[in-house]
Amino acid sequence: MTEHISPIELRRDLIHAVLGRRQGSGVLVAPGTLLTSAHVLDGARSAMVVAPNRSPARLRVVWSDDRLDAALLQGDTGAVPTPPLSTVVTARPIPGCEILGYPQVQRYDGRKPDLDQYTGTVLPMAGLLRRTLTVELDHPPVTADEDGPSPLAGLSGAPVFAGERLLGIVRAVPRGRGHRRLECVSLTAVLADAQARQWLPTVSVTTTGAHPRDDFHEEEYGEALGAAYRRTRIFGLDELGKRASEWDLDTAYLSLEATSRDQEAVAVPRRIDDLLAARPRVLLRGDAGAGKTTLMWWLAAHAAAGTLGPELAELNGLVPFVVPLRTLRARGAGFPSPAELPGVAGLMIDAAPEGWAGRVLAAGRGLLLVDGLDEVSQSDREDAHTWLSGLLARYPRTRCVATVRPHAVAADWLGAEGFEELTLLPLRGDDIQAFVAAWHEAARLDAPAEENLTDLEHDLSQQFRHNPNLAELARTPLLCAVICALHRLREGFLPENRWELYDSALAMLLGVRDERRRIDAPDGIRMTVEEHTQLLQRLAAWLVRGGQAEFTREQALQRLERALPGMPRVQSQGTPEEVLTHLVNRSGLLQERTDDVFQFAHRTFQDFLAAKEFVEDDLLQELLRHAHDQQWHDVLLLAAGHCKRRDLPVLVEGLLKAGSETRKRDLKTTLYVLAALAAQHAAWLDETLRRRVLRAVRSVVPPRNPGQVAQLARLGGYVLPLLPGPQEVAKDTVDAVTGLIAKIGGSAALPYARAFAEAGEAGRFTTSWPSFPAEAFAREVVGRLDPGESIMAFTAEHLRLLRDHEALDNITVVGDFEPDALVQAFSGRSLRILGLANNDRLTDLSFLHALDHSRLRGLVVADCSRLADLEAVAGLRPLLVFRVSGPLAGQQTVDLTGFSAHPSLQVVVSGVPRKNILGAAALGDRLTVE
């Protein structure tokens, strides 16, 4: 952000002394164009102008209007940025305006002009009859005789600023009122003159009634957002110190993969940045630790700073309002009004000017970031819906991203408000490798010289490549970070399941970190891992019961005061306040989010510890009473890892019972899946109970909608033998069954995909190649496609493998492939239909002429963000259909002017209004706009 400097520093190069037949002032309104009062010139055709630190220059008069008392001069004034022009559209006074000019009273050495500054209030109603803009100065300029000459003589032509915006120029100081009233010419009047406008071709005119201090506050607000949100905590680096554990998001941010709801059936992943760009309102679903909050922080910091990349460039300059719902819950606050939005994130900044947030939203410049709809209790979610829909109805141009866990709210919960749903996908392949590299890069910041992190990084990367089970554990950025930290700490040894990951992470944070750093009770308190855990799990269970994720200092102290009497060794070492300080400073699990508001480092650790408390306190029945509440599902599942041999059957049977009692098939599926996952934790479980679990899962197979597919996929290979084969599956469920096979993917699912392919259903998997081992999928599924069927290729390896299947002539290439790579991939191949999707490297399509396009009948281009030139398509013969999704390369138009010469080409354009399609009329009915 720009360092804050005074208005004089910002504007001094704009303000000139004008030496016509009288002395006055003037302001640059465009490069080389200066606005002043006509009476200063008094009919002269040119005038000398002088600015600080510049040589005098003579400018010629290009426009003058004595009635308005305004004139424009033009000449060489140097390259000086000019302010935006504004018209006043409010009847209310605008305080805090500024006038800058060269009054004669400000001369020094008796003759040299010097800049002076005045503040005042614009009174829009005061000059209505005379059509003037009136300014009331805050203070008299100097003591002067009412009947004598004005002490402000020479200020004629001086600019009137409201914040950064130019509203008009001074033209007279009426007698009376102690020289405190100024009559001004508004920019509205100047811009209404057609001859004046022709000299202002580069000026962007905006209409505003904004408070003049808004601009300065927005700059400070942006700086405060950057300070709060440009750094994130990278789990597992706490033992390295603050420098490494708080990591700049410019370095740490990883653009995750996601799908839109309408894409989930075909499982075409795209980067979340690309998906957000074209969607003004988004409900973003994602598992715990999936990176939802990190994304919101990154958007807030970079949108405010104007540093988002080309995909999200249209968000640059918007004003982000971050609404962390967990914080509101912790404070017991209601949902914020527009005026309260700037304060809910607890930024370190002065109060906003009155009405600022409302003005931002009304102008369509707001970016609302609502984090954690799932962290509002079930009973309050309708209130959250009412608040959000009401706010957006009042300010319909506001962009919004809201986050929620996958199944916390129903599909289309915000559909009526224009929200599109996106789902963050698990990390896989290259993203895991990228995260491992970035994590170790941060670790090197403070690592001791003797530690060889390069070898550790290489070893972990290799383990991820060759161990599918380990890669399955690293499904989210949080879990991937846990694995990195434990791999480093244990020098290569890693846990085998999710529950052991969390357990090992707690041991690392609560015990090993201080031992490794040889820290011995720095705050006078020494606690074992178990003592830390006992206190934290009581706090976690209390939070889960209350449906919240943040708590105040007072609430934490109440919990500690109840727990410490049962822990005399800890109680003897300090007061509850001192114990809380120790937990925050030393555990690595608690964070102070804002002043006196705390949270667990991640919600997953809160749920893990709460589950431990419920199991140890023999409260499984309390847990099971909440089985129908999605907020408790992670706690229920994590409880399975804490259960002993006598407890686990109680948990599994309770989940089966809850599932059997509900008539909602989706919830029944979820509860039976939880029961099966819990049963997998058991080293020993009664065979009868295992068979009951199997029957329960079988009863919700086959799935009938995407929600059930997502739930059953959590069971992985367990559910595959339960699925109907191609001969048994009903027609209305075949999509869901094959979709589940593809979602599970991997070597285990490949035989099931092959069975459907052998039955003539290979086409149902043609968008799912990334889910399976590439070469085996090419052999078992791709090789069984009919020649006319389509196939999607996502990697260079996919394109290489397609060379063995020359009969396939309908191919869509998804991803960032260079033109040369595409020419090489299709060299010697005659395609009938070619698709290009999600390619951010193509700028034109001229490479198509290097291919054999003698049989090309269809060309589809979708979401190619840099593609600007479509001219090459018009020369492709005998192409019959061309489909394109825009806008392209950030443009709001699509140029089809050369296409009318192609006699038989049908063109289909989506995402661009017909009025923005150049050449549409010439195409006539050969153009379809969707």
Side-chain angles (χ1 to χ4, degrees):
M1 302 292 293
T2 305
E3 183 180 353
H4 181 71
I5 54 180
S6 72
I8 291 180
E9 293 289 331
L10 289 169
R11 300 172 182 146
R12 63 185 178 187
D13 289 343
L14 297 172
I15 318 303
H16 290 62
V18 180
L19 308 176
R21 292 195 169 125
R22 304 180 187 182
Q23 186 230 302
S25 304
V27 58
L28 288 175
V29 290
T33 303
L34 184 136
L35 177 65
T36 188
S37 289
H39 78 262
V40 171
L41 304 172
D42 196 19
R45 295 185 178 182
S46 66
M48 293 294 294
V49 299
V50 183
N53 304 318
R54 290 182 179 273
S55 300
R58 180 165 290 278
L59 275 60
R60 63 188 177 93
V61 178
V62 295
W63 170 82
S64 182
D65 187 320
D66 292 335
R67 182 183 57 82
L68 281 179
D69 197 3
L72 290 170
L73 291 78
Q74 196 167 62
D76 183 9
T77 58
V80 179
T82 54
L85 305 187
S86 292
T87 56
V88 179
V89 293
T90 179
R92 297 180 179 179
I94 307 176
C97 294
E98 295 172 289
I99 300 96
L100 295 166
Y102 292 89
Q104 293 184 17
V105 74
Q106 181 71 358
R107 289 174 179 267
Y108 67 99
D109 290 344
R111 59 187 180 84
K112 296 179 181 178
D114 196 5
L115 197 60
D116 207 351
Q117 177 182 22
Y118 305 88
T119 61
T121 300
V122 168
L123 305 172
M125 300 295 289
L128 278 180
L129 294 180
R130 288 167 291 145
R131 297 180 181 275
T132 62
L133 186 68
T134 302
V135 179
E136 177 96 15
L137 296 181
D138 292 337
H139 306 285
V142 291
T143 301
D145 186 347
E146 286 285 345
D147 296 324
S150 170
L152 299 180
L155 203 62
S156 295
V160 180
F161 287 104
E164 294 297 309
R165 298 174 176 87
L166 177 63
L167 297 183
I169 57 170
V170 176
R171 78 175 184 188
V173 183
R175 293 192 177 277
R177 300 181 183 268
H179 304 285
R180 291 184 62 176
R181 277 276 174 104
L182 305 180
E183 284 187 359
C184 305
V185 181
S186 74
L187 263 298
T188 306
V190 175
L191 295 166
D193 188 290
Q195 290 184 335
R197 284 201 306 272
Q198 70 176 324
W199 297 103
L200 305 172
T202 62
V203 174
S204 174
V205 180
T206 58
T207 300
T208 181
H211 191 291
R213 295 191 179 94
D214 283 3
D215 292 324
F216 298 124
H217 181 76
E218 281 186 25
E219 183 174 331
E220 294 173 355
Y221 182 78
E223 291 173 348
L225 282 169
Y229 294 124
R230 284 192 85 131
R231 300 186 71 79
T232 187
R233 294 183 63 84
I234 302 301
F235 178 84
L237 296 184
D238 301 71
E239 70 273 17
L240 300 178
K242 186 178 180 66
R243 181 182 170 202
S245 63
E246 291 189 2
W247 200 7
D248 193 293
L249 269 180
D250 290 342
T251 305
Y253 178 69
L254 175 68
S255 181
L256 301 169
E257 288 185 325
T259 57
S260 64
R261 188 177 171 213
D262 58 348
Q263 289 176 326
E264 286 183 345
V266 296
V268 179
R270 293 184 60 193
R271 294 296 164 187
I272 185 65
D273 300 9
D274 298 335
L275 290 168
L276 287 175
R279 293 166 171 81
R281 295 181 182 176
V282 167
L283 180 63
L284 180 65
R285 297 180 186 262
D287 290 320
K292 301 186 297 296
T293 297
T294 299
L295 172 63
M296 301 290 261
W297 287 20
W298 183 79
L299 284 173
H302 284 275
T307 52
L308 290 168
E311 295 85 0
L312 293 171
E314 62 188 70
L315 302 186
N316 283 330
L318 296 185
V319 179
F321 296 110
V322 182
V323 183
L325 291 178
R326 67 175 71 90
T327 300
L328 298 181
R329 291 282 297 166
R331 295 175 182 166
F335 298 104
S337 67
E340 294 168 333
L341 284 174
V344 294
L347 300 177
M348 301 301 290
I349 188 173
D350 291 336
E354 184 178 356
W356 170 67
R359 289 190 290 274
V360 168
L361 295 170
R365 298 193 303 112
L367 174 60
L368 188 63
L369 302 171
V370 183
D371 193 22
L373 283 167
D374 54 284
E375 291 170 5
V376 176
S377 67
Q378 195 75 40
S379 59
D380 290 340
R381 282 185 199 159
E382 282 311 308
D383 291 338
H385 185 284
T386 300
W387 162 75
L388 185 55
S389 60
L391 183 64
L392 295 176
R394 173 66 179 84
Y395 301 106
R397 290 189 290 162
T398 300
R399 294 192 68 137
C400 181
V401 181
T403 70
V404 69
R405 291 208 186 175
H407 307 289
V409 297
D412 279 333
W413 192 64
L414 289 169
E417 288 71 33
F419 279 75
E420 296 185 61
E421 294 193 6
L422 303 179
T423 300
L424 286 174
L425 297 177
L427 292 179
R428 58 191 178 93
D430 292 343
D431 283 346
I432 291 176
Q433 297 297 334
F435 190 97
V436 169
W439 190 96
H440 286 84
E441 185 63 30
R444 291 186 185 94
L445 293 175
D446 284 346
E450 64 274 12
E451 186 175 14
N452 192 339
L453 283 166
T454 300
D455 286 350
L456 283 172
E457 178 185 346
H458 178 74
D459 175 71
L460 184 56
S461 295
Q462 291 299 106
Q463 289 199 51
F464 274 125
R465 285 191 179 96
H466 301 298
N467 185 345
N469 292 331
L470 180 63
E472 180 60 26
L473 287 178
R475 300 179 72 253
T476 66
L478 172 69
L479 291 175
C480 199
V482 170
I483 291 172
C484 290
L486 290 174
H487 178 267
R488 178 190 185 190
L489 183 68
R490 298 180 172 192
E491 298 181 347
F493 176 76
L494 288 169
E496 294 184 357
N497 60 51
R498 180 179 176 227
W499 187 90
E500 288 181 4
L501 271 181
Y502 297 139
D503 194 49
S504 299
L506 289 177
M508 175 182 67
L509 290 172
L510 300 179
V512 177
R513 67 190 295 267
D514 280 351
E515 293 175 11
R516 180 173 178 174
R517 299 169 66 198
R518 295 179 172 84
I519 294 175
D520 184 15
D523 45 21
I525 296 177
R526 172 180 282 278
M527 294 168 61
T528 65
V529 172
E530 184 58 25
E531 286 169 335
H532 277 109
T533 303
Q534 286 295 320
L535 290 175
L536 291 169
Q537 69 189 53
R538 283 166 170 75
L539 181 58
W542 172 76
L543 288 169
V544 168
R545 285 190 178 106
Q548 62 192 73
E550 292 192 349
F551 54 93
T552 63
R553 180 179 295 275
E554 182 181 356
Q555 290 169 332
L557 293 176
Q558 290 175 354
R559 309 270 73 75
L560 291 175
E561 285 169 358
R562 295 182 182 182
L564 286 175
M567 305 175 70
R569 197 184 80 84
V570 177
Q571 189 177 37
S572 66
Q573 297 182 60
T575 65
E577 290 85 354
E578 291 168 333
V579 172
L580 177 60
T581 299
H582 171 85
L583 290 173
V584 173
N585 290 342
R586 310 309 320 156
S587 74
L589 281 174
L590 294 183
Q591 299 173 347
E592 188 170 9
R593 180 69 188 89
T594 59
D595 288 344
D596 287 339
V597 176
F598 304 87
Q599 65 181 19
F600 277 86
H602 198 277
R603 172 77 174 270
T604 299
F605 293 107
Q606 172 186 310
D607 291 347
F608 182 87
L609 287 164
K612 185 172 185 289
E613 173 68 8
F614 284 114
V615 171
E616 290 182 353
D617 209 20
D618 199 19
L619 295 172
L620 282 180
Q621 292 305 321
E622 180 184 350
L623 262 181
L624 289 167
R625 282 197 295 273
H626 294 278
H628 293 78
D629 187 342
Q630 186 271 343
Q631 280 190 303
W632 287 70
H633 287 175
D634 272 359
V635 183
L636 279 158
L637 182 57
L638 289 165
H642 294 291
C643 284
K644 303 302 181 185
R645 177 175 167 179
R646 68 180 179 85
D647 295 321
L648 190 60
V650 176
L651 180 64
V652 173
E653 288 178 345
L655 289 168
L656 292 176
K657 182 174 184 292
S660 67
E661 291 174 348
T662 181
R663 295 183 178 180
K664 299 177 180 177
R665 185 176 174 87
D666 283 6
L667 179 58
K668 185 187 294 289
T669 301
T670 298
L671 293 171
Y672 285 166
V673 166
L674 287 176
L677 290 171
Q680 291 175 8
H681 279 284
W684 183 91
L685 193 67
D686 180 78
E687 182 62 26
T688 301
L689 184 54
R690 283 192 186 276
R691 285 198 297 269
R692 286 178 55 200
V693 171
L694 190 65
R695 285 198 302 271
V697 175
R698 193 190 300 275
S699 73
V700 290
V701 172
R704 299 184 182 277
N705 59 53
Q708 289 179 275
V709 168
Q711 284 297 320
L712 289 168
R714 299 172 68 186
L715 294 174
Y718 176 91
V719 77
L720 289 170
L722 308 181
L723 297 177
Q727 309 306 324
E728 298 87 22
V729 66
K731 288 184 178 180
D732 61 344
T733 61
V734 65
D735 283 342
V737 170
T738 54
L740 177 55
I741 292 169
K743 199 169 187 67
I744 294 171
S747 299
L750 187 59
Y752 297 88
R754 181 182 62 215
F756 276 89
E758 290 173 343
E761 300 286 357
R764 296 185 181 275
F765 296 95
T766 56
T767 64
S768 307
W769 203 340
S771 299
F772 297 91
E775 192 164 345
F777 184 83
R779 183 177 59 252
E780 305 291 353
V781 177
V782 177
R784 291 182 167 86
L785 284 171
D786 291 333
E789 289 188 276
S790 66
I791 180 67
M792 283 188 174
F794 295 82
T795 68
E797 185 181 16
H798 293 171
L799 290 176
R800 178 183 62 80
L801 291 167
L802 281 174
R803 293 175 190 166
D804 297 329
H805 303 280
E806 293 185 358
L808 296 178
D809 59 5
N810 183 348
I811 298 175
T812 296
V813 184
V814 182
D816 293 336
F817 290 87
E818 297 284 358
D820 289 347
L822 294 171
V823 170
Q824 182 179 358
F826 295 119
S827 177
R829 189 172 198 137
S830 180
L831 294 175
R832 184 174 54 86
I833 298 175
L834 174 63
L836 301 167
N838 305 348
N839 191 319
D840 296 331
R841 296 185 181 178
L842 294 179
T843 57
D844 62 59
L845 298 173
S846 59
F847 75 92
L848 292 172
H849 288 279
L851 304 179
D852 178 0
H853 53 269
S854 61
R855 295 179 57 241
L856 190 63
R857 297 296 185 271
L859 176 64
V860 180
V861 176
D863 300 311
C864 296
S865 65
R866 296 180 60 201
L867 184 61
D869 185 356
L870 303 177
E871 184 179 355
V873 177
L876 293 175
R877 306 293 170 89
L879 186 67
L880 296 178
V881 178
F882 173 57
R883 302 181 65 96
V884 60
S885 300
L888 306 172
Q891 302 174 22
Q892 298 302 313
T893 60
V894 171
D895 188 354
L896 304 179
T897 51
F899 282 45
S900 58
H902 196 308
S904 55
L905 183 63
Q906 298 287 323
V907 182
V908 182
V909 179
S910 61
V912 178
R914 180 179 287 270
K915 62 184 178 65
N916 291 353
I917 300 175
L918 304 180
L923 283 169
D925 60 6
R926 291 193 287 131
L927 172 65
T928 302
V929 180
E930 295 178 342

